[in-house]
Amino acid sequence: MEMLKQKFKAQADKLGEEIKQILKEHGDTVIGEIKLSQIYQGMRGMIALISETSLLDAQDGIRFRRHTIDELRQKLPKAKEGGEPLPEALFYLMLVGEIPTKEEVDTLSAILQRRSHVPMYVYETMKALPTETHPMTMFVVGIMALQAESVFAKRYAAGMSKKDYWEATFEDTLDLIARIPHIAAYVYRRKYKEGKILHPDGLLDWAGNFAHMLGYDDEEFKELMRLYMVIHADHEGGNVSAHTTHLVGSALSDPYLSYAAGMNGLAGPLHGLANQEVIKWIFEMQRELKTESPTSEQIKQYVEKTLAEGKVVPGYGHAVLRKTDPRFIAQMEFGKKHMPDDPLVNTVWRIYETVPPILQSLGKVKNPWPNVDAHSGALLVHYGLVEYEYYTVLFAVSRALGVLSSLCWDRALGMPIERPKSVTTAAVKRWLNKEVENLGD
Ligand code: HAX
């Protein structure tokens, strides 16, 4: 751990110096123009953030430190030969920009195991919630209860110097990543398995052990969890969960508070909750059409009905991507390898053939292609994880890897409190009428 920490610090110092130089030479360089429409329409395409861990290209999809998902599946160390990459290896890559060796990942997995203890009061707090509570609410309550453990909060209260913020954030990050699967597994066991907790297996990797604590010891399911945790980890800095974590962190709220805030954003149906919405929508379609395997024509009619009811087709569209999400493709490849004849998975593929032309024909949907959430549920159902309200918690466990490594960078680079300027529509009108010189006066 000490080595990873020192490696991170050395890289952060180097990049910090480079940024100082860049700002000294180019700080006044104009990077583009902002249109009024962007302010009203969710700030699309407005470059306003720095996030070191990944970069999203509208055509090529996500790159983690310049590596595509395909490359990660080839290059990152794995639990078993020819299998899926280890998510803690991706965390290492996002944190220090280097692909770790298998030995380095094994050391990290062992460190995470050692730091994974969750105090009893956290479980008791979650237990106080009624079982009908949504799993994401239970999960975030668990994280908030755990906040009492924050190294950052304790050291800040004791008068920590600015130059040590990164280190306290780093410690909280490792603790949180180690503990989050335990909280998430408890949510599942409490809500769906009568609260019977399964003890961790100290010999397993981070995602394999998470699968085990959920109650799924099938080797293929463990492989699915490794893939799932890799592909959902990060999607550059502007998406709701990453941006919220970063924004809240900019107030020097500790990593527990910041991550919990981000996960409340992930719990929205236009973001991470879409994975539960997709499978719910497919189940409803199957029920209504009274078939497990609807034909393309039946799917087409059902999609048209969904749209006529003023709803979105869940799992399709994206604010940045303009082609099929490589995360969807990675899951499709997993499906083809492990369950090519599964009827639900085949339905997902038939929906993929049917939906894009319909959305294209609406003339307003900028991206008619599937995103990550269009596929994930069907793979989980195949292994028996049918409780779809739980799916966003899986996403949240994975997302911790990206948003928390980014938070380490924020504190190491001394990122300031975020405070953009807002204006009223009345101010916009005054400016358009040339009553004032600058928007916002
Ligand atoms: N079905 C129907 N209509 C859709 C649509 C879809 N899947 N995707 C976009 N549209 C509509 C929008 O609702 C909007 O309509 P109005 O002008 O009538 O409001 C119009 O097309 C233009 O939207 P857009 O610019 O293409 O898309 P946005 O950038 O505004 O929104 C969303 C991106 C992902 C929120 C959107 O595509 C959507 O609602 N998709 C379905 C929900 C979903 O799958 N969310 C998960 C996204 C991935 C993610 O973050 N996962 O965590």
Side-chain angles (χ1 to χ4, degrees):
M1 218 279 298
E2 215 34 51
M3 246 176 65
L4 182 60
K5 197 162 150 181
Q6 292 319 321
K7 203 175 241 188
F8 171 72
K9 175 69 173 135
Q11 303 240 353
D13 285 349
K14 185 165 168 278
L15 188 64
E17 283 309 313
E18 281 170 19
I19 292 171
K20 260 192 212 151
Q21 200 53 34
I22 290 171
L23 291 181
K24 199 170 149 201
E25 289 173 26
H26 307 284
D28 290 329
T29 305
V30 175
I31 57 166
E33 54 179 19
I34 295 174
K35 295 189 185 125
L36 195 53
S37 59
Q38 288 177 290
I39 305 177
Y40 278 98
Q41 291 165 357
M43 298 189 271
R44 292 294 182 286
M46 195 188 281
I47 299 174
L49 296 164
I50 293 287
S51 183
E52 304 294 348
T53 48
S54 66
L55 185 63
L56 180 57
D57 180 88
Q59 300 302 323
D60 295 345
I62 190 69
R63 281 179 185 268
F64 300 87
R65 298 286 191 169
R66 308 191 74 176
H67 297 280
T68 62
I69 292 210
D70 254 4
E71 287 163 9
L72 293 187
R73 289 180 85 193
Q74 286 160 27
K75 292 182 190 167
L76 287 181
K78 302 170 176 64
K80 51 172 71 172
E81 213 173 308
E84 300 299 336
L86 288 162
E88 51 277 56
L90 174 60
F91 169 69
Y92 190 111
L93 173 68
M94 287 190 287
L95 197 64
V96 294
E98 287 171 21
I99 292 192
T101 62
K102 179 74 166 73
E103 290 66 38
E104 285 168 330
V105 182
D106 287 346
T107 306
L108 180 56
S109 305
I111 288 163
L112 293 175
Q113 284 276 6
R114 281 206 296 280
R115 298 173 79 127
S116 67
H117 174 71
V118 175
M120 210 52 213
Y121 69 83
V122 174
Y123 296 116
E124 294 299 334
T125 307
M126 292 157 79
K127 217 174 178 175
L129 296 168
T131 45
E132 311 82 75
T133 309
H134 191 279
M136 275 305 278
T137 311
M138 283 190 181
F139 176 72
V140 174
V141 165
I143 301 296
M144 288 307 300
L146 194 60
Q147 187 270 343
E149 303 287 307
S150 169
V151 173
F152 188 98
K154 284 182 194 141
R155 287 176 60 182
Y156 192 88
M160 169 169 58
S161 155
K162 266 184 181 182
K163 68 175 176 36
D164 296 329
Y165 289 171
W166 74 272
E167 196 188 5
T169 303
F170 187 95
E171 295 296 336
D172 275 350
T173 290
L174 281 189
D175 284 345
L176 258 169
I177 291 173
R179 292 158 163 177
I180 281 169
H182 291 242
I183 293 181
Y186 181 73
V187 169
Y188 184 71
R189 302 296 303 177
R190 158 132 168 86
K191 192 165 165 78
Y192 305 111
K193 305 289 171 187
E194 290 153 8
K196 289 186 192 131
I197 300 184
L198 297 168
H199 293 291
D201 178 341
L203 297 176
L204 280 170
D205 54 288
W206 185 73
N209 185 42
F210 178 39
H212 162 74
M213 290 189 295
L214 286 170
Y216 293 83
D217 276 311
D218 183 315
E219 286 307 313
E220 257 180 50
F221 184 84
K222 288 189 186 128
E223 280 291 273
L224 175 61
M225 270 306 100
R226 291 174 189 124
L227 174 66
Y228 191 104
M229 294 295 138
V230 163
I231 62 175
H232 289 81
D234 209 30
H235 221 220
E236 74 171 29
N239 65 78
V240 171
S241 52
H243 187 189
T244 308
T245 307
H246 163 81
L247 169 67
V248 174
S250 85
L252 293 187
S253 302
D254 64 59
Y256 292 76
L257 297 171
S258 308
Y259 170 71
M263 295 312 104
N264 282 321
L266 191 75
L270 295 188
H271 190 18
L273 205 78
N275 57 11
Q276 84 163 44
E277 296 301 298
V278 168
I279 212 72
K280 197 169 139 197
W281 180 77
I282 298 177
F283 284 162
E284 280 165 8
M285 169 163 63
Q286 288 177 331
R287 244 192 325 271
E288 209 172 301
L289 299 172
K290 298 189 178 55
T291 172
E292 203 183 33
S293 300
T295 62
S296 301
E297 188 49 37
Q298 285 175 311
I299 293 169
K300 184 169 178 281
Q301 282 169 15
Y302 196 78
V303 169
E304 280 162 358
K305 179 173 167 281
T306 302
L307 293 171
E309 285 167 355
K311 298 179 199 160
V312 293
V313 180
Y316 282 75
H318 200 273
V320 180
L321 274 171
R322 293 295 174 256
K323 70 170 222 185
T324 299
D325 193 332
R327 302 173 298 175
F328 178 92
I329 302 284
Q331 295 180 89
M332 193 156 97
E333 283 168 4
F334 187 94
K336 286 190 172 152
K337 181 172 169 189
H338 295 288
M339 59 197 79
D341 301 322
D342 182 290
L344 184 62
V345 171
N346 276 272
T347 299
V348 166
W349 297 341
R350 213 165 303 126
I351 293 171
Y352 177 34
E353 287 162 13
T354 314
V355 166
I358 303 175
L359 290 183
Q360 253 158 351
S361 73
L362 297 180
K364 64 172 183 179
V365 182
K366 295 195 190 65
N367 178 42
W369 305 106
N371 57 58
V372 66
D373 300 313
H375 207 311
S376 52
L379 301 179
L380 296 164
V381 170
H382 177 84
Y383 295 106
L385 208 166
V386 294
E387 299 90 354
Y388 54 73
E389 276 201 340
Y390 184 73
Y391 292 173
T392 312
V393 177
L394 298 175
F395 197 154
V397 175
S398 166
R399 195 42 58 113
L401 302 174
V403 299
L404 290 170
S405 45
S406 274
L407 207 58
C408 288
W409 277 99
D410 291 348
R411 295 292 74 79
L413 295 175
M415 293 282 185
I417 187 163
E418 210 167 83
R419 202 334 186 159
K421 171 95 183 96
S422 73
V423 289
T424 61
T425 299
V428 169
K429 288 200 272 186
R430 282 198 297 276
W431 176 66
L432 290 174
N433 290 336
K434 304 202 182 333
E435 292 167 35
V436 290
E437 195 181 335
N438 300 305
L439 178 56
D441 282 354

